[in-house]
Amino acid sequence: MQCQKYMGSTLTNLLFHTVFSTKDRKRLIKPEIQNELYKYINGIVKGEGGIVLEIGGMPDHIHILFKLKQTHSVSQLIMKVKGNSSKRINEQRKLPIRFSWQDGFGAFSVSESQVEAVKRYINHQESHHKQLSFKEELIEILKRNRIEFDERYLWN
């Protein structure tokens, strides 16, 4: 059982800022579902052993800052968040059309020293988007994180 002993003494602080949009960037995250959606997502992350540090967004996209256990995958967690939350929204039938998220997502590692800045960024989405569209915001984040991308495939 060396693996268990190793995992038990492994110390990590894995912080991620993720961003993803509704399918076709439809403005479906209305005020009447927003708080419940955020609480539900928080519960999913917590259920997977993670901790949501901040969550926020706009009617067409969401940002989540969270801490993740070293034994979990960001991709698997976000797949679970997106799948379970869209299912929940659709079961509640609070929207006139079917809700779904875009296929992909952006995930960026965050240094502990930048946590408060990322929280502020997430909390000020409304004022931020008076100046930038979601598309412009995402491209800015990708460039800041030196992630190569082809804009032709970014919006599928």
Side-chain angles (χ1 to χ4, degrees), residues 40-88:
Y40 192 74
I41 289 172
N42 189 25
I44 295 168
V45 174
K46 188 176 182 180
E48 294 298 310
I51 301 169
V52 170
L53 302 174
E54 199 64 57
I55 188 168
M58 296 296 290
D60 65 345
H61 71 280
I62 190 168
H63 293 259
I64 310 169
L65 174 62
F66 62 95
K67 190 177 284 203
L68 190 62
K69 290 171 116 178
Q70 75 273 11
T71 56
H72 286 70
S73 153
V74 174
S75 294
Q76 289 175 340
L77 176 66
I78 297 303
M79 283 176 37
K80 188 170 275 195
V81 163
K82 289 167 57 177
N84 290 352
S85 64
S86 60
K87 180 180 178 193
R88 170 83 172 211

Side-chain angles (χ1 to χ4, degrees), residues 36-149:
E36 187 175 339
L37 172 64
Y38 292 174
K39 286 179 188 174
Y40 192 74
I41 289 172
N42 189 25
I44 295 168
V45 174
K46 188 176 182 180
E48 294 298 310
I51 301 169
V52 170
L53 302 174
E54 199 64 57
I55 188 168
M58 296 296 290
D60 65 345
H61 71 280
I62 190 168
H63 293 259
I64 310 169
L65 174 62
F66 62 95
K67 190 177 284 203
L68 190 62
K69 290 171 116 178
Q70 75 273 11
T71 56
H72 286 70
S73 153
V74 174
S75 294
Q76 289 175 340
L77 176 66
I78 297 303
M79 283 176 37
K80 188 170 275 195
V81 163
K82 289 167 57 177
N84 290 352
S85 64
S86 60
K87 180 180 178 193
R88 170 83 172 211
I89 290 169
N90 288 319
E91 286 174 348
Q92 292 180 332
R93 301 180 189 269
K94 291 184 178 180
L95 297 174
I97 63 172
R98 185 163 175 76
F99 181 92
S100 59
W101 296 107
Q102 73 175 83
D103 289 337
F105 64 93
F108 316 96
S109 58
V110 176
S111 168
E112 181 65 39
S113 66
Q114 295 301 308
V115 166
E116 291 307 314
V118 175
K119 283 182 177 182
R120 280 192 305 277
Y121 180 82
I122 292 171
N123 280 320
H124 291 95
Q125 282 292 293
E126 200 168 307
S127 63
H128 183 72
H129 283 288
K130 288 179 182 174
Q131 300 167 19
L132 289 176
S133 68
F134 172 64
K135 183 177 180 178
E136 293 166 326
E137 175 190 40
L138 184 59
I139 289 171
E140 182 181 284
I141 293 171
L142 292 171
K143 286 179 178 177
R144 192 177 330 125
N145 284 278
R146 296 185 180 147
I147 296 174
E148 291 183 26
F149 63 94

